[in-house]
Amino acid sequence: MRLLNDTRFVVSSLILLILLFSFLLHRNLNYRFNDSAGPTIGVITFKNKTVLRKYNDAVVWDLIESKTEVKNRDTIRTEGLSDAVLTLNDGTKINISENSMILLDISDKNININFAYGSFEAAREGTVSGDMKMNITAGDKTVEVASGDVKLDKTKSELNIKVDQGEAKLTSNGKEETIAKDQIANVTDSGVKVGKPVYRLATPEDRKNILSESGTERISFSLSGWKSDSVKQTNPYIEISLFPDFSKSFIKEKLTSASLSKKLGSGSYYWRVSYEDPTSKSKLTTEVFQFRILSDPGLRILSPKSGEVFTYSQDIPVVRFVWNPLDLYSSYSVQIAKDSNFTEGLVSKQTQNQSLAFDSLKEGSYFARIQAKSNLPGIAEKSSTVVSFQVSKKTNTTPPELLEPVRGKTFAEEQTRSQLFFSWKDDKDFSGYEWELSNDSNFQSKVKSESTKNNFLKLTGGLNIGTYFWRVKGIGSNGQAIESKSNTFTVIAKEEMELVAPANGAEVEVDERSLVVLKWRKLTGKSNYEVEIARQSDFQPLVLKETVSGNYFEFKSKDLGRFYWRVRSVEGDGDLSSVRNFQMISGMEPPSLLTPVRNETVDLFSRNSVVFTWKPVDKASGYRIHLIDISGIREKQILNERTNSTKLQFSEIQKLNVGRFRWEVAALYKQPDGTERESAYNKQDFFISVPELKVPKILTPGKIYVE
């Protein structure tokens, strides 16, 4: 009992328990269950990007690769822009689309698939075991396939089944339906509809990968089975969406012909055609096709540059090849030859990285190219342009080449205390270097000098205002010094952050882009700046805070009015500019307000509404009115409404308290892209009041006595 009262014992025991349970929890969460004893039911014959597998009774998802065996009761899940092909032991091929999940269970001599969500296809043509059936469960629906090809799409609200070969049996709510070849079954809460679609999707084909160098392509959509006579009866629409359930249609457009083209950016898309049943007038849809526009830029060799010369004196130099990475390609081959046809002295190396080095290229002229290979279907091998380079042995030692600071560069005085950095090209011919700094070009009087074995030097202590010259001497193995050319730079006094435009207090008339360009004077040696914009001069709260490169910023705002702004440099001491303000105004005319007039008192005792009126504005497509309660410490918006009229009657007087209110109206103008842009708001204040009511006096009855 005394131990339980001992603080040291109790605290130590609790810490040990926390560590023990933390270890057990971590081990449980990261335990990779490996059901090696379970039967193998198939193999992942193809996978693209992220495909996950979860063993039965496990909680952790593992990445799965091609040629991986799949065990019974495994769950397979794909993520965005990923897919996989699973080949079962009986020859059944299951093609799992992106963002899909299925659970496989082969028991009682049947293939049982629990379909959670997404889309997948099953092809049973040519299977080994003809007696084995495939049962697909999707919620409370069951699809039975003996042989043939079937495709299923499942969303929250519906299930679509298409049979390309053979037939399938669908059981839903105790009713059985047979789906024959080329038929589609649409299962929703309202029931099951089975039939051949009036329209068949043709191009782009399902699971089509479309490569685009620019990232934007014009896609041609076409249908088969188009009959001009039935168009009026069926009223077809093409739907293109980023979501497989078409919860948000990216494009929905009425079809007047069997083909249509649209310009689309890179991404994954779904498309279908919706139409009306000529008899029942109920809505029907075709099957859903998926296609991808994949950004596929050209393969470019970044290093070496064409015509570059690699020199050496003793050891053969290392020639490093660097190229731009390509998302669609998994491996690269660097090929080097003596001729541009790549037949003489061909050397080839393969890698999965974006760089590769060669250290055995002897003196001579070479040609090089890079070839990229993809593991995605339908994507051909890609080759870069051919570059030429030389490996040359030096006949004499060349002087060091200065890199930074470049000739004529300018530094502020405070920068030299911490940021003055000198560098030059390294050369194996030199065992060390002598760095020199002087006030004159002849180096008669040296300000500083240092010896180093590196090809860089950081100067500390700072420099005074003036012009300086610097050079480097390379020290050879024989002790002989070879002098570089000199470079010059200038040190100036500290610069102040200065705002340039717009002028302080200026009124800036903006067009439909609502854009104001803010400019400031660039500080020497500083390229990154932080821009702060606010409605109030104390910058509380901030409307925008953004770091930019350069000496200007394009500020966009849907709201007009006055803004305050300032700029500070990110590097160094963070110099802060003074504060300026500007007012964004619109060239579009706002409406003139009529009633209630300015400072009018509206008595609600005898009214059940407040009527707002204003003058019409020429070319206005509509108006937006705001009603704001400004009687308290904080403003409270009561009304925000768009109207085509020049009058609005507000009847929700229960929202109005006694006090001061502001109403404001802006004119809306139609833009070329179909959107509407607001003018400035005209504003007026008015008051709400009710007459003072007297408390009634009760006259009768008087006092009542009860026994």
Side-chain angles (χ1 to χ4, degrees), residues 468-524:
Y468 294 87
F469 300 84
W470 73 286
R471 68 184 181 188
V472 174
K473 293 180 180 179
I475 311 300
S477 55
N478 57 1
Q480 183 181 358
I482 300 178
E483 188 179 282
S484 73
K485 294 181 180 179
S486 64
N487 267 3
T488 179
F489 64 91
T490 305
V491 179
I492 61 175
K494 181 179 179 180
E495 298 174 288
E496 299 291 336
M497 276 296 309
E498 182 182 351
L499 305 183
V500 175
N504 193 27
E507 290 186 347
V508 183
E509 185 173 309
V510 295
D511 56 17
E512 66 277 359
R513 297 177 299 167
S514 288
L515 186 145
V516 177
V517 179
L518 309 178
K519 295 183 179 180
W520 55 91
R521 195 175 304 281
K522 187 176 182 180
L523 297 180
T524 302

Side-chain angles (χ1 to χ4, degrees), residues 366-473:
Y366 295 92
F367 295 88
R369 68 185 178 189
I370 298 172
Q371 292 183 323
K373 294 182 179 180
S374 175
N375 60 3
L376 295 176
I379 298 182
E381 192 175 86
K382 180 186 286 286
S383 294
S384 70
T385 55
V386 177
V387 298
S388 61
F389 64 95
Q390 287 184 328
V391 177
S392 177
K393 189 171 184 178
K394 292 181 181 179
T395 55
N396 51 26
T397 306
T398 57
E401 182 182 346
L402 305 185
L403 299 177
E404 185 65 31
V406 296
R407 179 178 296 275
K409 193 169 184 177
T410 303
F411 296 92
E413 187 179 6
E414 72 272 11
Q415 283 182 271
T416 64
R417 301 186 189 121
S418 60
Q419 295 185 3
L420 201 49
F421 187 82
F422 297 85
S423 65
W424 52 94
K425 277 191 176 180
D426 197 10
D427 196 319
K428 293 181 179 180
D429 291 341
F430 300 120
S431 58
Y433 301 93
E434 185 74 25
W435 172 83
E436 296 178 343
L437 182 68
S438 175
N439 284 322
D440 62 274
S441 58
N442 297 321
F443 288 82
Q444 295 297 322
S445 58
K446 296 178 184 177
V447 177
K448 289 186 179 182
S449 64
E450 285 191 30
S451 297
T452 179
K453 291 185 178 294
N454 301 316
N455 65 322
F456 60 88
L457 185 139
K458 185 176 181 180
L459 185 64
T460 58
L463 294 174
N464 296 325
I465 298 171
T467 301
Y468 294 87
F469 300 84
W470 73 286
R471 68 184 181 188
V472 174
K473 293 180 180 179

Side-chain angles (χ1 to χ4, degrees), residues 4 37 62 74 108 187 262-263 266 283 288 292 354 358 381 400 414 434 450 511 559 588-589 615 650 667 669 680 694:
L4 295 176
D62 291 326
D74 278 0
D108 61 27
V187 187
K262 289 292 179 182
K263 198 172 185 179
S266 58
K283 181 183 176 182
V288 177
R292 298 172 183 155
Q354 282 75 54
F358 290 78
E381 192 175 86
E414 72 272 11
E434 185 74 25
E450 285 191 30
D511 56 17
D559 300 322
M588 297 180 291
E589 181 186 356
K615 290 183 178 180
F650 184 71
Y669 291 84
K694 295 181 180 180

Side-chain angles (χ1 to χ4, degrees), residues 41-84:
I41 62 172
V43 176
I44 296 291
T45 51
F46 169 80
K47 59 88 59 173
N48 172 38
K49 293 196 174 182
T50 307
V51 180
L52 303 169
R53 180 257 296 279
K54 185 171 72 70
Y55 291 105
N56 187 32
D57 297 331
V59 295
V60 177
W61 291 90
D62 291 326
L63 287 170
I64 193 169
E65 301 296 334
S66 294
K67 300 181 181 179
T68 301
E69 292 183 347
V70 176
K71 304 293 183 179
N72 197 31
R73 295 196 59 78
D74 278 0
T75 302
I76 308 296
R77 174 165 65 90
T78 58
E79 295 192 349
L81 297 178
S82 305
D83 46 30

Side-chain angles (χ1 to χ4, degrees), residues 524-536:
T524 302
K526 299 180 180 179
S527 57
N528 295 319
Y529 301 88
E530 191 175 75
V531 182
E532 294 182 343
I533 303 175
R535 284 287 192 177
Q536 306 295 330

Side-chain angles (χ1 to χ4, degrees), residues 237-358:
Y237 279 82
I238 185 171
E239 296 182 51
I240 306 170
S241 177
L242 299 173
F243 305 94
D245 60 355
F246 289 83
S247 54
K248 293 182 181 178
S249 290
F250 182 64
I251 293 173
K252 186 173 183 180
E253 190 170 316
K254 189 171 183 178
L255 285 172
T256 56
S257 66
S259 62
L260 179 77
S261 67
K262 289 292 179 182
K263 198 172 185 179
L264 301 173
S266 58
S268 182
Y269 297 90
Y270 301 85
W271 75 288
R272 69 183 182 186
V273 172
S274 59
Y275 58 96
E276 293 179 358
D277 186 283
T279 306
S280 64
K281 296 300 180 181
S282 59
K283 181 183 176 182
L284 299 175
T285 61
T286 64
E287 61 182 317
V288 177
F289 274 10
Q290 178 198 4
F291 67 94
R292 298 172 183 155
I293 300 176
L294 303 174
S295 180
D296 185 31
L299 181 58
R300 294 177 291 106
I301 299 178
L302 304 178
S303 177
K305 303 292 184 185
S306 188
E308 188 171 350
V309 179
F310 296 87
T311 58
Y312 69 100
S313 56
Q314 296 178 351
D315 299 331
I316 293 176
V318 175
V319 180
R320 180 172 293 277
F321 287 82
V322 182
W323 55 92
N324 59 312
L326 302 176
D327 292 337
L328 304 180
Y329 299 84
S330 55
S331 64
Y332 305 89
S333 294
V334 180
Q335 297 180 347
I336 304 174
K338 291 282 189 177
D339 64 319
S340 58
N341 294 324
F342 291 86
T343 56
E344 183 183 351
L346 178 64
V347 178
S348 180
K349 283 185 180 181
Q350 191 171 356
T351 180
Q352 292 182 339
N353 300 319
Q354 282 75 54
S355 65
L356 193 62
F358 290 78

